[in-house]
Amino acid sequence: MTAVGAEEQPDRRLTPRSDDEGWWFRRMVEAAPAYFYIADPANSKTLYRSRQAEVILGYSMAEWRDDPDLWADNLHPDERDRVLAEFSEASRGGKPFRAEYRIRRKDGKYIWVRDHASLAEDPSGHGLIVQGVVLDVTEQKTLEQSARLALMESAAKSKFIDSVFDNSPLGVAKLDAHWRITEANRRLREMLSPGQEMVGVSLAEFLDPEWIENVAEEFRPLWQGEVETIEAEAQVRRRDGEQRWVHWTASTVKDPGGDLDYFLIMFEDNSAKHAAEAAAMASLEELDRLNRLKSDFISIVSHEFRTALTGIQGFSEIMRDADNLSPAEIKDFATDINSDALRLNRMITEMLDMDRMESGRMTLQVAEVDINEVLEESVGRARAAHPLHHFRLELDGGLPKARADTDRLTQVVANLLSNAAKYSPEGGEILVRSKHDFTTVTVGITDQGMGIPAEHLDKVFQRYERFGRDATTKIMGTGLGLPISRQIIELHKGRIWVESEEGKGSTFSFSIPIGS
Ligand code: ADP
């Protein structure tokens, strides 16, 4: 680098002459936050560098002069190739050199500079020169960088907030003072308005009239500024008409002036919780009902046991103590004792069956069964037990055999026959029919008894249920016979049902598949 001699002897005069343009110019150049340079376009060597270069980069004029590569060597490695290429292009008369780059000062620190240079005529007439100016822009760059960083940070923050808003498991909305939705997140749209926009819509549109009043009442303290946050439960109606339960929390968001900016409201869909609570409540009620039935059952059973035992005890005491009973009387008493004992036995069997049924231990011994035979035998026994009733059989002569458990089927038929007789205390006909189609065998037992009130028809097959009369006193029973019969028929993959008219009689029927 060749320095111009005048630079070596700076003019130190403090008072300028007003016409000394050179002095004024030099003062200006030396005071500027930039340095000027002139370089030879032929070899890019610096011919002149103004004194500010010393201040800006820390190298003395002598150092600049002694090392022609000082500038190039101190360019930041990331930018060196680009800067040198652009500079040599400008030196060759290409486009002017306009570069921003980092350069290392003598103290090792990099600073940012803006370097503008262009090709010009050498005023001394020696050909062309490159003249340029280098400005220290580190401060500006740092500011720019921190502004850019702050911008990026705030963009990232708002992106984060947007993604929290949109992916929140809660439905979130902003409401204006009139309850109009000004923003709604995805979850809320899914919850209340799938596939439709919510912005601009009033929250009231998602509430049934009775709930509008409710929610407005709960909202009031927030409106009136008495509280900052409020939460409650509400039933909302989705756009598709479905009702849901939500837990909502609303808070006031104020503007910098302290006035209401918007209400922030969050919704949590707790329909599932409500459904579970309702189900728990229903099953509690069902448990309660069963408990009541069970305690009724215990009192009925104890009563029935006592009645049967009292009969046995009474008749046997008469037989023991009376001296001159005729054989016919003895036979009568023995028959009564026997029937009470049978009744006790049946009740115990039913209770054990019920227990077996409830614990899923009831099983079938399946074989080929002639159901007509089961009916004939059962009716034979029923005739003996219920002399007041007239039993009639209408059996299907072509009834195919079914695969079933004979004892269990006999139990069902005996139970239906005994009910038919029990619940027609006036006597009357009991008709037993069988028939079949391609797939099933059906049995029907019709009595002319008291019948079952319509409202109880669907309950007779439930555990412990007994209806229509003061059961504990008049007609003996435990309420277990029909549920056990139903379980047996269902184990055969069949079904059992009843048709009845109160005061006229009932028909209990069951059908089982032929090959079950
Ligand atoms: P139980 O006869 O021991 O009470 P069941 O389970 O056999 O128990 O019958 C349940 C209830 O159904 C009876 O208490 C009775 O109210 C009613 N019921 C059953 N069969 C008849 C019938 N043939 N006629 C009228 N009511 C009947």
Side-chain angles (χ1 to χ4, degrees), residues 304 350 415-416 418-424 445 447 449-453 459-462 464-469 471 475-485 498 500 505-508:
E304 306 259 300
E350 278 181 352
N415 178 238
L416 295 182
S418 125
N419 279 353
K422 249 187 348 184
Y423 297 107
S424 40
I445 295 172
D447 63 60
M450 50 181 61
I452 300 165
K459 296 208 183 114
V460 289
F461 294 103
Q462 291 177 12
Y464 315 124
E465 297 279 13
R466 311 196 72 226
F467 307 101
R469 51 223 132 239
I475 299 174
M476 306 258 187
T478 53
L480 293 182
L482 287 179
I484 293 171
S485 300
V498 59
S500 181
S506 316
T507 299
F508 278 83

Side-chain angles (χ1 to χ4, degrees), residues 56-303:
I56 294 175
L57 292 169
Y59 295 105
S60 68
M61 284 296 138
E63 282 169 307
W64 282 113
R65 192 181 49 228
D66 295 346
D67 183 357
D69 295 323
L70 200 58
W71 175 72
D73 284 351
N74 283 305
L75 291 173
H76 194 286
D78 287 356
E79 286 131 24
R80 182 181 295 130
D81 290 349
R82 169 180 65 86
V83 172
L84 289 179
E86 284 174 17
F87 189 81
S88 67
E89 196 197 332
S91 304
R92 284 197 305 272
K95 64 174 173 0
F97 180 58
R98 301 250 177 290
E100 264 182 18
Y101 53 85
R102 276 163 293 176
I103 186 161
R104 194 174 48 213
R105 289 160 47 104
K106 193 174 178 184
D107 62 10
K109 262 205 233 141
Y110 278 98
I111 59 164
W112 276 97
V113 296
R114 186 173 303 141
D115 191 340
H116 285 193
S118 54
L119 211 55
E121 279 294 332
D122 179 353
S124 58
H126 290 108
L128 292 171
I129 53 165
V130 176
Q131 54 185 25
V133 57
V134 173
L135 243 123
D136 180 353
V137 292
T138 311
E139 202 173 320
Q140 188 187 336
K141 268 288 196 203
T142 320
L143 276 176
E144 262 174 34
Q145 239 162 17
S146 52
R148 202 171 28 243
L149 225 75
L151 208 73
M152 270 159 60
E153 250 173 44
S154 94
K157 210 174 203 165
S158 91
K159 209 168 147 198
F160 171 71
I161 290 170
D162 282 355
S163 93
V164 169
F165 182 70
D166 240 31
N167 297 316
S168 153
L170 299 178
V172 186
K174 280 180 171 183
L175 299 189
D176 67 12
H178 309 289
W179 263 20
R180 240 190 323 269
I181 297 169
T182 55
E183 244 180 279
N185 75 342
R186 196 172 49 195
R187 178 73 191 107
L188 189 64
R189 287 195 300 275
E190 284 166 4
M191 210 187 274
L192 297 180
S193 186
Q196 275 173 308
E197 194 41 76
M198 292 183 85
V199 171
V201 177
S202 166
L203 183 67
E205 286 195 24
F206 299 97
L207 296 168
D208 285 344
E210 68 273 23
W211 276 103
I212 295 185
E213 241 171 75
N214 247 336
V215 176
E217 193 51 44
E218 280 155 348
F219 218 89
R220 195 178 309 283
L222 202 66
W223 247 314
Q224 294 172 340
E226 291 162 12
V227 293
E228 293 285 306
T229 303
I230 225 157
E231 57 182 300
E233 302 257 311
Q235 203 172 37
V236 290
R237 187 174 289 285
R238 286 159 57 109
R239 277 272 165 80
D240 57 15
E242 195 186 312
Q243 282 198 322
R244 315 232 99 205
W245 277 98
V246 292
H247 179 91
W248 59 268
T249 311
S251 346
T252 316
V253 179
K254 292 185 176 154
D255 63 18
D259 294 326
L260 171 76
D261 191 358
Y262 56 85
F263 292 116
L264 184 69
I265 177 156
M266 286 180 241
F267 299 88
E268 188 182 0
D269 187 339
N270 57 6
S271 313
K273 193 178 120 208
H274 268 264
E277 274 169 11
M281 194 59 100
S283 64
L284 261 184
E285 277 167 16
E286 175 60 12
L287 265 181
D288 205 37
R289 192 183 71 87
L290 272 183
N291 259 341
R292 256 182 291 116
L293 285 174
K294 221 165 192 165
S295 57
D296 288 353
F297 167 77
I298 289 169
S299 81
I300 292 169
V301 166
S302 333
H303 176 84

